[in-house]
Amino acid sequence: MMDWFEIRQVNRDLWMIVEPGHVVSWLYLGSDSAALIDSGTGIAPIRPVVEKLTRLPIKLINTHYHFDHVGGNAEFAVRLAGAQAEAPLRRHAPRDLLKRYIDGLLPLIADAEAQRAADADVMALTPELALRPFPAGFDAESWRPGGVAATGLLREGDEIDLGDRRLQVIETPGHSPDGISLFDPAHGVLFVGDTLTEGALYAHYDESSLDDLAVSVGKLTRLPAPVHAICAGHVARAIAEVSLIAETEAALKQVASGAPYRQGQDIFGYGLRETRHGRVWVYHSDGRASSFPLHD
Ligand SMILES: [Zn+2]
């Protein structure tokens, strides 16, 4: 049977752990410990996968609290997250949201053609990165990611010591209020969670802020060292091109200037406004009370 995870080694110290069509978690190895950036959907356990790749002690770092990035949190003893994530991490994702997510995916899992049409290059769903059947034993009814408190909170400028490399914490709210990015200035590796993505950049939730997102992306254009690689939460490619930062900044300026948009829909079936600029499609609110709770 096909594994739930697709594992790819980017270089000696960096692995991507992909749940194809869902999310990417990243494993970054230092000399003393390893950082696991996000813990996936929780649809299958992620720790056994990580332990096959390294024997180093693991520091889990959540880029933000959304259910598809925290599903495996309970599997790890060290759990770090942005200070603003403290309260939401304690809560579960609402059942209704999860049901909408699964219901939206099931027809795509069943139909590769529909999957390709819906993907439209967003997640680069090549055959080996196509959506996979849910693993045996997965029970969508009892699937309830979230509800696991952080063991340590991170703030702007904090550093996470992995031994021969360090990750600097950059607060990047906007997609969600608690978003953080992590930057290794010595190696130019930047982990951004959902702050940057090719394709649909979700900024239409009630809790999202286009203004905050613009400030956050602006910060990423002024990092203290050159960026060589962007590791994003949903682009199922090894590394996003660095020009994605400037492209996202330009896309957000388009939205702020009232550029034309089209009506769109997110994976949960909620309506939104979509402004496309190059590779970045900004999802923003249609102004109605479109919002829905992301945690209980
Ligand atoms: Zn998110």
Side-chain angles (χ1 to χ4, degrees), residues 219-276:
K219 277 162 106 173
L220 298 181
T221 67
R222 297 187 302 273
L223 291 172
V227 177
H228 300 305
I230 299 169
C231 304
H234 288 284
V235 181
R237 269 186 278 282
I239 296 284
E241 285 173 48
V242 171
S243 58
L244 186 61
I245 303 176
E247 213 166 311
T248 304
E249 193 175 42
L252 291 168
K253 281 192 178 133
Q254 291 277 310
V255 178
S257 71
Y261 57 83
R262 62 172 96 171
Q263 290 299 135
Q265 209 180 52
D266 70 9
I267 184 79
F268 307 102
Y270 290 98
L272 50 88
R273 291 176 173 175
E274 178 182 331
T275 302
R276 293 193 177 196

Side-chain angles (χ1 to χ4, degrees), residues 64 66 68-69 175 194:
H64 62 301
H66 286 163
D68 48 338
H69 300 257
H175 166 76
D194 291 353

Side-chain angles (χ1 to χ4, degrees), residues 35-205:
L36 177 65
I37 318 294
D38 290 335
S39 67
T41 61
I43 287 172
I46 194 171
R47 189 167 139 188
V49 174
V50 173
E51 287 181 342
K52 273 189 201 152
L53 303 178
T54 182
R55 304 172 79 151
L56 291 166
I58 306 293
K59 292 171 177 165
L60 169 67
I61 310 169
N62 291 128
T63 58
H64 62 301
Y65 81 90
H66 286 163
F67 73 89
D68 48 338
H69 300 257
V70 304
N73 276 18
E75 300 173 61
F76 299 92
V78 177
R79 302 182 296 271
L80 309 175
Q84 302 304 318
E86 182 176 23
L89 276 174
R90 293 174 186 275
R91 301 183 192 122
H92 285 98
R95 211 174 279 284
D96 175 56
L97 185 76
L98 300 175
K99 188 176 180 331
R100 281 174 170 271
Y101 185 71
I102 295 279
D103 288 350
L105 285 169
L106 283 175
L108 298 180
I109 290 172
D111 182 351
E113 283 301 315
Q115 202 177 123
R116 265 195 291 281
D119 176 54
D121 297 331
V122 177
M123 300 183 86
L125 295 182
T126 52
E128 75 279 11
L129 288 176
L131 285 157
R132 299 171 180 191
F134 291 118
F138 171 65
D139 174 22
E141 291 298 313
S142 59
W143 177 48
R144 211 77 205 281
V148 181
T151 60
L153 297 176
L154 303 168
R155 291 179 176 80
E156 181 83 19
D158 283 354
E159 287 197 339
I160 298 144
D161 188 354
L162 305 178
D164 62 352
R165 58 194 64 209
R166 289 163 173 273
L167 289 171
Q168 293 179 348
V169 175
I170 306 154
E171 292 176 345
T172 48
H175 166 76
S176 65
D178 65 323
I180 57 169
S181 297
L182 301 150
F183 184 48
D184 173 353
H187 299 87
V189 180
L190 176 65
F191 301 93
V192 296
D194 291 353
T195 295
L196 300 175
T197 190
E198 292 174 286
L201 176 59
Y202 279 38
H204 60 294
Y205 304 129

